[in-house]
Amino acid sequence: MVMDRLRTLGGWLARRAENVLVLMLGAMFAVFILQVVFRYMLNLPIGWTHEISVILWLWIVLFGSAFVTRESEEIRFDIIYGAVGRRARRVMAVVTAAALVVLYTISLPAMADYVSFMKVERTAYLKLPFNWVYAIYLAFAVASIARYLWLGWRAMRGNAPEAFDPTKAGSGV
Amino acid sequence: MTSPFALCILAIVTLSLLGLPIGHAMIASSILYLLLAGQDMSIAAEQLLNGMYTNYVILAVPLFILAAELMNIGSMTERLLLFCNALVGRFRGGLAHVNVVQSLIFAGMSGSAIADAAGTGRMMQAMMTKDGKYPASFAAALTAATAVVGPIIPPSIPMVLYALVSDASIGFLFLAGVVPGVLMAGVQMGIVGLTARRRDFPVEPPIPLRELPCITWRAFPALMMPVVLLGGIYGGATTPTEAAALAAAYALLISAWLYRSVSLRDAYGSLAYSARTTASIGMLIAGALVFNYVVTVENIPESIKILLSGWNLSPIGFLLLVNGILLVLGCMLEGTAILLIVVPVFIPTAKALGIDMVHFGVVVVVNIMLGLITPPYGLLLFIMNTITGVPLRDIVRDCMPFLAAMIAALALITFWPGLSLWLPRLMGYQG
Amino acid sequence: QAKPNLRFSAVFSEQDIRAEMMKRFGEAIKEDFTLQPYFGGNLFKQGTELVAMQRNNLEMGNIAPQDISNQIPEWSIVTSAYLFRDADHLKKVFASDVGSDLKKAAEDKLNIKILGPTYFGARQVGLRPKKKITTPADMAGIKLRMPGGDAWQFLGQSLGANPTPMAYAEVYTGLQSGAIDGQDNPLPNVQNMKFYEVSSQIVLTSHLVGFDLLCVTDRVWKAMSPQKQAAFQAAADAAMDWSAKQHLDKEKELVDFFKKQGLEVYTPDVAAFRDFAQKKYLASDLAKSWKPGMIEKINAL
Ligand code: NA
Ligand code: NA
């Protein structure tokens, strides 16, 4: 019962996270068009659009990787991963999850220190303190730790991770 | 090379082989390096965040992905296929030629080979294998081979990534890809022609000439995409980065307004897919930015330059070496990763040898693209295998003649810089 | 005991005069330190060196005054148009009491030691259209590419132009296609980036004396004995003076070079530009953070 409800809640949160991600990409697209229209058609160059689109790009990547991207969509090197059986894949998943969780966790205090240090600088147009803009890294790191703890735990319990799907892999080439 | 660096490389290789996404593998291993070298671990976050924040031109990547997606949701693909069929269907092996021309035109609209194969592969396969016209393995191999042209002709996501690591001008890189891209398509048509005669492929019933204007008109907005794009850049309306947004806007406009084939749900779907893809490529870029700090602080590109200068390579010798290395790596590694991790290491040497950075970019991108159809790791082969169910072995076998012919074309592109640089020079490039 | 390593990161390339300046400096301090330079923004991105130094991840840097003013607003005075007359005036001001005040304000807060200003050329306006420019009124409506950020865009407005931000790497094609009408950079940059190929004229406005500040972290500086500090400073002074002279010679050479390339190169009514710009700056919010009387003191030097 509790697990089911948690799963429903998780699915709902995942869909909302995707909504946010789509909103960010849509906003970035709109801001670009605005920038071209203002400079080329109205001869009124604006600079803050630059800043918004760069912040959005940073957030799309880190927020998206933390909360939206599925395992099957990640770019990975899968000659071995795709070829071995479920058992081997489970062992591999436990090893990589452990490495990621350990390294991301021990570096987390240093990362938090840097992000909070960045309060000394502000963005050029909107004057946003950089510690806010860069805080998304901390969300990304914490979410990655949580995600890989879960993946590792699931692999230990006996669930092999999803196989790789080339038609879904988000490669840009 | 220090021992923390050696351990960092070992960690990247091991974690990637064990299946950790490459972006995470690079970030985690770089953190390990900083820890072992006694440096501030927060440098990893610093490099990732500042690198992403200050590389404005990289924003073209998500926008080109979006443009390709918006192209795919409209009925544009069908209209294009009709147009290609009217154009080359009447020759022996007509549908095979259609496949080549379709990819060439698609290349002018999209910056990604994956988008071409994934977007049109299913439809192309159904058309070609209907009533047993073409062997399924040949059709699948052909779709994979023709998709290679996608990022050689502008727009091109790999060229944007190359511009990121080399500081070469995106505008000129785009122009430089046009002739080599057409050359590659020509070479493919040559192979199709030879095979068609040998295996006696069918001819499509010729489309009456009076229908041609109508078919062309229906495909016209799609055909205009490269004109809009390069016109935007060279007509002074947009920077190359903004041109990516213009391309997406144009795709949306013709799909939604002219072809009236886009629902809100479709539009949301393409935005969502593009955003997910952006996040996963972005992670790779982020990882490469962090790892690049490690490589730089260890002076690796400089060391390679010194090592190679000891060999007294001529520019051509160096280019051949790079071709060899990239083709071998392409058999094993993902293209974006090669571009972001391996190519930067060669750039100081290429500059020192006086190799034109735009020409070098074309050579590099063609190599990366050929890597998509070289086994064991060839993303286009995998896609066609997944879409069609044809065994990988058979696709690979039928792909080989195309691969060989395109490697010959690559040699021509390598030895003859003028082939790439003619068009940029015409538009004022001094190099 | 091994010599301490001094990592130095800069955005200029290995072929730049300033790279040679750093090699000379490294040679002069090699008894006590190993200078390890990284060029082309390869180690730390442009504008991020200051924070890297504050966090002791970088020992030396050539820091833009704009980056300092981002953290210490009163420094925006040295980023304003027509403050310094030339390289000589720049050096004099930083050697004076005013300079000491400014340096102290930065050093106390940023944990760095400022060794001095490194001149890299006066910023001039390069244009694609042939329109003759005499006064700021002639700049009206001209889309002048300026670096991103309010402070830079304001500098463009203080020239009477219509400033537009654009990535440095896109400026060449921007000029070629007419997306922008012009750019403002020191002449050596105009040559490096080949902007002259896509321009018809260079207006010698000399509106901003371009300089960075050669800095070393407090941690390194305070670990030195007073004699070592003096020797370190003397080595920096010699290298900076050499570099300034090289840049001045280069600027003279380049005026002839651009003329040979068929460009119009001429001096506008600089007094009119100065008046217009200084009025704009004094009326702006930026001037509120300036120490009273400082501008007069600088003008008097
Ligand atoms: Na095709
Ligand atoms: Na393309």
Side-chain angles (χ1 to χ4, degrees), chain B residues 81 96 98-104 106 116-117 120-121 124 139 142-148 188:
Chain B
L81 287 177
V98 168
N99 201 334
V100 177
V101 175
Q102 165 270 322
S103 281
L104 184 62
F106 203 92
D116 179 7
T120 65
M124 225 38 258
L142 181 63
T143 302
T146 53
V148 158
Q188 291 163 1

Side-chain angles (χ1 to χ4, degrees), chain A residues 18 35 76-77 134 171, chain B residues 19 50 242 268 276 332 334:
Chain A
E18 191 189 77
Q35 178 174 311
R76 61 176 104 233
F77 183 82
Y134 283 1
S171 173
Chain B
N50 286 326
E242 291 164 348
Y268 179 87
R276 288 163 173 285
M332 299 175 291
E334 198 276 332

Side-chain angles (χ1 to χ4, degrees), chain B residues 39-40 42-43 46-47 50-51 54-55 57 172 233-236 239-241 292-293 296-297 299 427-428 430, chain C residues 7 14 36-38 40 42-46 48 52 55 57 166-167 169-170 172-173 176-180 194 197:
Chain B
Q39 295 193 36
D40 178 2
S42 79
I43 289 175
E46 191 272 347
Q47 292 284 321
N50 286 326
T54 51
N55 278 312
V57 289
F172 290 132
I233 298 176
Y234 283 92
T239 65
T241 317
N292 181 56
Y293 172 85
T296 305
V297 88
N299 274 318
M427 298 298 287
Q430 311 277 326
Chain C
R7 289 167 293 184
E14 204 175 346
Q36 199 177 8
Y38 297 92
N42 282 338
L43 197 66
F44 288 100
K45 295 273 178 293
Q46 179 167 25
T48 68
R55 295 178 58 79
N57 290 327
M166 185 176 279
E170 290 183 341
Y172 185 96
T173 35
Q176 189 186 31
S177 68
I180 48 173
K194 303 193 172 171
E197 293 171 358

Side-chain angles (χ1 to χ4, degrees), chain A residues 18-19 35 39 54 57 65 68 70 73 75-78 92 103-104 110-111 114 134 148 166 170-173, chain B residues 16-19 21-22 24 28 42 50 53 56 59 112-114 237 242 268 276 280-281 283 332 334 377 386:
Chain A
E18 191 189 77
N19 293 155
Q35 178 174 311
R39 193 188 59 240
V54 172
W57 152 246
S65 302
V68 184
R70 298 187 193 113
E73 291 168 338
I75 300 175
R76 61 176 104 233
F77 183 82
D78 70 326
M92 286 159 72
L103 286 166
Y104 279 22
M111 307 305 188
Y114 170 72
Y134 283 1
Y148 278 87
S171 173
V173 289
Chain B
S16 310
L17 280 178
L18 292 180
I22 301 174
H24 277 303
S42 79
N50 286 326
Y53 192 85
Y56 184 71
L59 296 186
S112 142
I114 304 301
E242 291 164 348
Y268 179 87
R276 288 163 173 285
S280 82
I281 300 178
M283 264 317 281
M332 299 175 291
E334 198 276 332
Y377 188 86
T386 310

